Amino acid sequence: MLFRSNSYFNNPRNARHDTINTDVQYYNANIFPKLYGYDKKDGQWIIFEKVNTFDHDNLPITKFFPLFAQQIFDVFEAIRDLLQWPDLNTFFTRNSRTIDQELFFFFTDLLKYFLYQTNFDNTVLVKQKFKNQIIDYLMLMSQSPLLFRYSKEELRAMIEQELKKKGIEINLTADISYLIKRLVNVSIWDAHEGNFGYRDIKNPSKPWESFVVIDYAM
């Protein structure tokens, strides 16, 4: 997989590949494929670790980020009656998309939203933004008649009240937190399925640790 060579080789922090593979700000906990070598003379080639890739019909977000997916499903079930929604499978499989495909689009939007607009030193704000993202996402997906009777703010307040009544608390899940913490200060502009991949899962209890960002805008 080739990075944009001009921006890559013109970055003084990338002068040595061993620095790239150990510098926490650049190469954090294997979130990027390991770099084995590159053309130090002309900057024409780069050799990376081989990883598996996704395609449009193979976006297993529920497999690699199960806590994230379950959080969304729990919120959905808690407010389903309030917003007069259909069953979960019908709700998430409209327009011939699978649940994983729908969640993938939300997943990429969520990454960009947090990476560019969140102060991670403020844990209360981080939690609130994550909660708002999930609620807003479900409202956007919905075709509930309540959307025409209440403002977005009023409907969000109703949803939060319903969640509180049912004891559902929205927290930044460990799998999404793992990824976001390792992508802070990195610009993910081109977040499509071809720019993400995965290694073979070594720890079945933490499949998200096998997720890899293959390409991104520097």
Side-chain angles (χ1 to χ4, degrees):
M1 181 67 199
L2 294 181
F3 278 72
R4 295 166 177 81
S5 59
N6 290 339
S7 62
Y8 183 91
F9 288 105
N10 290 337
N11 187 338
R13 296 179 67 248
N14 299 340
R16 295 171 49 196
H17 72 272
D18 57 337
T19 300
I20 295 171
N21 285 333
T22 57
D23 185 340
V24 172
Q25 292 186 16
Y26 180 89
Y27 187 79
N28 194 322
N30 291 332
I31 200 64
F32 304 115
K34 188 173 180 61
L35 174 62
Y36 295 122
Y38 61 90
D39 183 356
K40 299 180 182 180
K41 181 179 178 181
D42 301 314
Q44 296 297 311
W45 53 265
I46 305 174
I47 301 175
F48 279 105
E49 166 192 12
K50 181 179 179 181
V51 297
N52 306 300
T53 56
F54 298 113
D55 57 49
H56 185 68
D57 296 321
N58 177 30
L59 302 170
I61 294 300
T62 53
K63 175 181 179 179
F64 284 91
F65 296 92
L67 305 180
F68 167 68
Q70 191 60 53
Q71 176 100 111
I72 294 175
F73 298 155
D74 289 345
V75 173
F76 170 86
E77 291 295 347
I79 63 179
R80 175 183 166 188
D81 291 339
L82 171 68
L83 296 183
Q84 303 171 34
W85 284 339
D87 64 275
L88 188 146
N89 284 325
T90 301
F91 184 86
F92 283 101
T93 55
R94 297 175 187 171
N95 302 318
S96 300
R97 291 177 177 172
T98 66
I99 290 180
D100 275 305
Q101 286 172 324
E102 286 292 354
L103 290 184
F104 177 80
F105 293 120
F106 175 49
F107 168 81
T108 55
D109 285 345
L110 182 69
L111 281 184
K112 289 183 283 188
Y113 178 84
F114 269 85
L115 293 175
Y116 307 142
Q117 302 179 32
T118 303
N119 175 8
F120 286 90
D121 294 328
N122 188 332
T123 56
V124 175
L125 181 61
V126 169
K127 179 178 178 179
Q128 183 62 43
K129 284 195 172 185
F130 184 69
K131 178 171 69 173
N132 289 347
Q133 279 291 99
I134 289 182
I135 292 175
D136 289 352
Y137 163 67
L138 290 174
M139 286 196 297
L140 180 65
M141 284 277 293
S142 170
Q143 297 179 7
S144 169
L146 295 182
L147 292 171
F148 304 101
R149 293 166 50 190
Y150 300 95
S151 69
K152 179 179 177 180
E153 291 71 24
E154 289 173 328
L155 192 53
R156 181 188 285 168
M158 292 170 59
I159 290 173
E160 291 193 16
Q161 184 178 13
E162 187 75 5
L163 291 174
K164 183 177 181 180
K165 183 173 69 174
K166 294 186 175 178
I168 300 296
E169 186 174 1
I170 301 177
N171 293 303
L172 191 64
T173 54
D175 45 6
I176 291 296
S177 179
Y178 170 90
L179 188 60
I180 287 175
K181 286 179 180 178
R182 285 155 180 80
L183 291 176
V184 173
N185 300 323
V186 171
S187 300
I188 305 290
W189 294 105
D190 196 15
H192 62 77
E193 61 269 17
N195 284 343
F196 297 113
Y198 59 98
R199 299 180 178 89
D200 293 337
I201 297 176
K202 295 182 179 179
N203 185 352
S205 66
K206 295 181 178 181
W208 54 88
E209 293 184 354
S210 298
F211 191 80
V212 175
V213 177
I214 298 175
D215 192 14
Y216 64 95
M218 302 181 70

